[in-house]
Amino acid sequence: MTDPIADMLTRIRNAHRALLPTVEMPHSKLKESIAHILKKEGYVAEVAIEGTPRAIKLKLKYDGRKGVIDGLRRVSTPGLRRYVGATDIPRVRNGLGTAIISTSQGLMTGVQARKNNIGGELLCYIW
């Protein structure tokens, strides 16, 4: 697998479109951090790490028959990394979405990175 973060986002997107209650994916520390940010921001209901070959299980949130997540977009890819300074961190959907940034102090949202005056690699947008 060339890009495990893009694979994670695609699994979440496909599960939302199919109205599945949960989605499971292989575990890594980076994906676990992204999953916890999604839970903290209210995009998923529950995050669990299970199994002998560890796997991340996300319980998705829905508003009736519509998913809470409208869209996911990978920004920095393995072929073209995208780094932003603290002042250049974009606002996703005019503040209604979330940017996830990998900084020297770990993964955080764009709002947290702006507040702490830290730049980093812009991983993805969620709205």
Side-chain angles (χ1 to χ4, degrees):
M1 188 181 316
T2 318
D3 191 359
I5 298 170
D7 177 64
M8 175 186 187
L9 297 176
T10 301
R11 286 177 191 237
I12 294 171
R13 187 181 308 113
N14 290 342
H16 256 289
R17 287 188 179 156
L19 298 174
L20 298 177
T22 61
V23 62
E24 200 167 312
M25 62 204 70
H27 178 271
S28 75
K29 288 181 183 178
L30 184 63
K31 289 191 225 178
E32 184 178 346
S33 297
I34 291 172
H36 285 296
I37 288 175
L38 291 175
K39 179 172 178 6
K40 190 174 73 178
E41 293 293 314
Y43 291 110
V44 296
E46 191 178 315
V47 176
I49 313 300
E50 316 178 323
T52 314
R54 291 173 58 174
I56 301 171
K57 193 170 187 178
L58 300 177
K59 185 176 179 190
L60 302 176
K61 283 174 93 173
Y62 293 97
D63 185 27
R65 289 190 51 84
K66 186 179 181 326
V68 172
I69 298 174
D70 282 338
L72 301 141
R73 184 167 154 240
R74 178 79 158 114
V75 178
S76 181
T77 61
L80 181 62
R81 299 290 184 191
R82 175 128 183 258
Y83 297 95
V84 292
T87 57
D88 302 329
I89 296 171
R91 293 180 60 199
V92 181
R93 300 285 167 142
N94 208 17
L96 296 177
T98 305
I100 296 181
I101 299 175
S102 175
T103 67
S104 57
Q105 296 180 4
L107 285 187
M108 57 181 70
T109 64
V111 174
Q112 292 170 328
R114 224 178 283 118
K115 189 175 110 185
N116 295 337
N117 200 25
I118 302 171
E121 183 180 355
L122 185 58
L123 295 179
C124 61
Y125 296 145
I126 298 146
W127 65 90

